[in-house]
Amino acid sequence: VEQNKKEDRIFVRGNSYADTLENMNKLFLDRHWSDGLPLVPPTEEAVRAMLTGTSHSPDEAVGSVDPSGNIATVRTVAVNAVMAGAKPEYMPVILAAVEAMAEPIYNLKGAAATTGASSPLSIISGPIAKELNINSGQNALGIGWRANASIGRAISLIIKNVGEVVTGVVDMTTLGGSWEFTCCLAENEEAMPPEWAPFRVDMGYGKDVSTITVRSIMGQLNVFGSTVTGAKLLLTIASAIANSYQSGILGGMQVVVTLAPQHVALVAGDGFSKEDVKRFIYENARVPFNIWKELGDSKRALNWAPLVPKWVADSPDNYMMYTIPKADDILVIVAGGFGMHSAWSPGGLGIAVTKVIDKWR
Amino acid sequence: LEGEILDTQVELVVLAPTGKTKNESSELAIGNVNKSKPISLAQRLTTLEGKKIGLFWNHKPNGDVFLNRIGEKLEKQFKNLKLIRYFPGKPRTVVACPESMHQNVFEECDAIITATGD
């Protein structure tokens, strides 16, 4: 193995193609440039082909990627996209994701380093989802779909390789989770009730553009319900959030609620707007103060004066505490296929950031 | 035959997937990245006597306890040391400290001690 430092070119040799590939993967693992799965070799030819997916110059800086704060250029993004198995046409999506994660408010520095398994969920909303065949339907967050798998993987590799995230040195995650490998879906607009606006509109963008929203999450929890009313379903979701995430009130975390098509039809059919859904979940994701006091971090939190308002500490035992700071801290998306499974994701560090994909074409 | 196998060595030329440091990237076409000045370490203080020392809490549990203990020790050790407590420092644990707050702290203190992690 030889590396020409100036040009970042690395020469890997072996006695056969398979042997050379194995050597490259071993080398990339040794240098902490891998997620552990085999990588597609980022040869100059492959990177050149990847760069045809955008009109932007290879030397253009896309953003500074924390924790290292190093600059990801369009070329750097392309190298990682090749490694992840992406197609050139996915480049604008990955570039927009990097631009989004570079916003300080996303807090990649915290998310990548923290003990929590905080890693991005990428939500694509808009016409590009169809164009690129990004799965928004059945098993959208599951296995077997090239666009979803490789876009999410490219984003993870960029965090690792440009952000210089080395386990046990920079990344102090206690346990981690599978969503750190890849976690990307598109919004299922076909299943959207006609009176509901798409997610990109919630995030302040026009209906005609395509956007990507990145939000650090700490996993995804299934909410099953063959319920007969929208309110019952939303209560089930609120209860799931309240009971598994009672410390949410302390940090101010945005949560993501992903409604499956049949669930959203049920909810909208009962007259709930998207705003109503957020408010209903917010109002019902509450726990009795006397129970919360006995749980987890609460004793420590009560001594943690500035974070727990005095009115909470002074509340009667039967006071119902909110677990989500405000209704707008619930991001509601529609995704998935047939079946009665919705999901919610506990928020990790930072807040959601949305960028327009089209600008990177 | 063995010789022939050895001769068929395959070479792959691949590119490193890493980024450029801000200093290295000065020649890049800068899109939405602020072309910030290269970062260097601040001038070290030669003594803490008579200095204003900021204790900047990151809002995580027990960070205040930790910083207060350090403050007590420093006050014993150095004359006329003035402690400025930023409790709570950051408005929210989960988001980065706003730039304006950094600026205040820089202007008010000669040196800062921060608490990070839990």
Side-chain angles (χ1 to χ4, degrees):
Chain A
V1 173
E2 290 168 31
Q3 182 171 3
N4 181 335
K5 269 268 174 218
K6 200 151 182 253
E7 293 177 33
D8 298 325
R9 291 161 86 217
I10 303 157
F11 299 83
V12 190
R13 296 189 186 93
N15 291 325
S16 64
Y17 183 74
D19 185 34
T20 312
L21 190 61
E22 182 62 26
N23 287 342
M24 188 209 84
N25 273 299
K26 188 175 175 303
L27 173 77
F28 276 44
L29 271 166
D30 288 347
R31 295 195 177 180
H32 310 284
W33 292 343
S34 172
D35 57 8
L37 292 168
L39 298 159
V40 177
T43 60
E44 286 175 303
E45 197 186 350
V47 172
R48 237 189 332 269
M50 186 58 70
L51 285 165
T52 63
T54 178
S55 62
H56 288 251
S57 151
D59 286 326
E60 182 178 334
V62 184
S64 119
V65 180
D66 276 331
S68 72
N70 286 349
I71 305 289
T73 60
V74 172
R75 184 185 290 103
T76 321
V77 172
V79 171
N80 285 279
V82 169
M83 287 159 61
K87 289 172 152 182
E89 54 263 43
Y90 306 159
M91 271 294 278
V93 182
I94 304 165
L95 288 162
V98 175
E99 185 195 359
M101 292 189 301
E103 292 285 353
I105 200 78
Y106 182 77
N107 197 5
L108 183 54
K109 193 172 272 178
T114 184
T115 46
S118 204
S119 194
L121 163 68
S122 300
I123 305 156
I124 292 139
S125 172
I128 204 166
K130 271 232 151 61
E131 188 190 319
L132 300 182
N133 200 12
I134 303 169
N135 191 3
S136 64
Q138 190 130 43
N139 208 16
L141 271 187
I143 62 172
W145 216 273
R146 183 163 181 184
N148 301 48
S150 64
I151 290 171
R153 189 185 187 201
I155 292 167
S156 292
L157 287 173
I158 290 162
I159 296 172
K160 184 153 183 51
N161 298 334
V162 185
E164 296 185 350
V165 179
V166 177
T167 297
V169 179
V170 172
D171 178 9
M172 303 310 283
T173 310
T174 307
L175 181 62
S178 56
W179 57 96
E180 296 183 341
F181 284 86
T182 182
C183 196
C184 171
L185 53 63
E187 185 180 34
N188 189 339
E189 278 195 56
E190 277 155 17
M192 190 79 78
E195 58 279 11
W196 282 34
F199 184 60
R200 59 191 174 281
V201 174
D202 298 348
M203 300 306 279
Y205 292 86
K207 228 178 153 175
D208 298 333
V209 300
S210 292
T211 61
I212 184 163
T213 300
V214 284
R215 171 73 189 110
S216 278
I217 58 162
M218 296 215 269
Q220 181 202 352
L221 295 107
N222 198 76
V223 182
F224 175 70
S226 314
T227 47
V228 287
T229 70
K232 267 193 166 182
L233 172 74
L234 295 178
L235 264 178
T236 312
I237 294 173
S239 156
I241 293 174
N243 285 299
S244 54
Y245 195 41
Q246 307 201 28
S247 61
I249 194 171
L250 303 176
M253 316 275 194
Q254 280 176 330
V255 304
V256 182
V257 170
T258 307
L259 293 173
Q262 278 169 278
H263 277 166
V264 80
L266 181 70
V267 167
D270 283 353
F272 284 90
S273 68
K274 207 191 279 188
E275 288 310 307
D276 295 337
V277 167
K278 291 182 184 189
R279 181 137 297 276
F280 190 94
I281 294 174
Y282 163 74
E283 287 292 349
N284 288 286
R286 296 168 77 174
V287 288
F289 185 51
N290 61 341
I291 292 181
W292 179 80
K293 270 199 302 191
E294 299 309 317
L295 298 174
D297 263 0
S298 58
K299 285 219 173 88
R300 193 166 64 150
L302 281 171
N303 295 321
W304 194 3
L307 289 191
V308 179
K310 197 166 172 344
W311 60 262
V312 171
D314 293 345
S315 296
D317 277 358
N318 62 356
Y319 169 70
M320 294 297 284
M321 278 182 66
Y322 290 88
T323 55
I324 302 166
K326 53 186 196 298
D328 276 343
D329 283 330
I330 305 169
L331 308 177
V332 177
I333 59 171
V334 175
F338 175 83
M340 294 300 220
H341 297 269
S342 287
W344 79 279
S345 290
L349 297 182
I351 62 169
V353 179
T354 303
K355 293 288 176 187
V356 175
I357 294 168
D358 311 274
K359 135 176 190 198
W360 290 104
R361 281 179 185 270
Chain B
L1 190 66
E2 278 173 13
E4 274 180 47
I5 290 171
L6 284 176
D7 283 341
T8 57
Q9 208 182 44
V10 177
E11 181 181 79
L12 265 179
V13 184
V14 292
L15 300 177
T18 51
K20 303 271 181 219
T21 65
K22 283 185 179 156
N23 294 349
E24 287 167 340
S25 58
S26 57
E27 285 154 37
L28 297 173
I30 300 294
N32 63 327
V33 177
N34 293 329
K35 215 172 172 181
S36 50
K37 283 175 248 156
I39 299 165
S40 56
L41 289 173
Q43 187 88 42
R44 304 290 97 172
L45 297 176
T46 50
T47 176
L48 296 187
E49 276 183 23
K51 300 295 182 197
K52 287 177 279 185
I53 306 299
L55 300 176
F56 194 87
W57 182 21
N58 67 339
H59 228 150
K60 289 268 194 155
N62 298 328
D64 51 342
V65 178
F66 174 70
L67 287 172
N68 274 330
R69 185 80 184 109
I70 288 183
E72 273 170 34
K73 282 186 164 273
L74 290 178
E75 272 178 327
K76 269 187 202 148
Q77 204 176 333
F78 299 98
K79 279 179 208 152
N80 303 324
L81 179 124
K82 189 178 174 235
L83 295 174
I84 304 174
R85 286 181 175 77
Y86 297 92
F87 288 3
K90 288 204 297 178
R92 279 172 123 183
T93 313
V94 293
V95 295
C97 183
E99 202 60 44
S100 58
M101 187 172 269
H102 279 162
Q103 205 49 47
N104 281 347
V105 176
F106 293 156
E107 282 165 16
E108 289 164 4
C109 305
D110 296 308
I112 304 152
I113 299 170
T114 61
T116 56
D118 293 85

